[in-house]
Amino acid sequence: MLARRGMTGRDLVWRAAGACLFVGGCTASAIARDGSPWVVLHFLIAVLGIVLVLNGKRVAVAIRAERRGHCNTAAAVHAARLRRLHRSGKSSDF
């Protein structure tokens, strides 16, 4: 999955950070005592890690679009993807 064609270095960094969060969250959850409220936090960290592993830098684009006040975040992310595909000369299935 990480060796797919066209992956940028920045995308790889986001995915690696997600893998670290996932492994750290799972490890901390396994070490924590049963019934501890910290297990919920560790679970949420692991879920965030999975999201980063699967989506990479698209998560950063979505967060940046949300922070800038776009009322249509999904449309802003889609437009950024279309601009990127247009610059690279690839066709889009959207």
Side-chain angles (χ1 to χ4, degrees), residues 9-79:
R10 187 172 19 166
D11 195 33
L12 186 61
V13 168
W14 278 100
R15 290 176 191 259
C20 289
L21 283 174
F22 175 70
V23 169
C26 289
T27 303
S29 183
I31 292 173
R33 289 187 227 168
D34 290 335
S36 172
W38 288 103
V39 173
V40 175
L41 177 66
H42 299 148
F43 175 74
L44 293 175
I45 289 171
V47 169
L48 176 64
I50 287 289
V51 169
L52 285 174
V53 167
L54 295 177
N55 293 312
K57 103 180 153 181
R58 284 182 276 176
V59 174
V61 171
I63 291 171
R64 189 174 24 216
E66 182 69 30
R67 283 182 47 212
R68 289 187 179 169
H70 292 284
C71 54
N72 297 320
T73 302
V77 171
H78 182 69

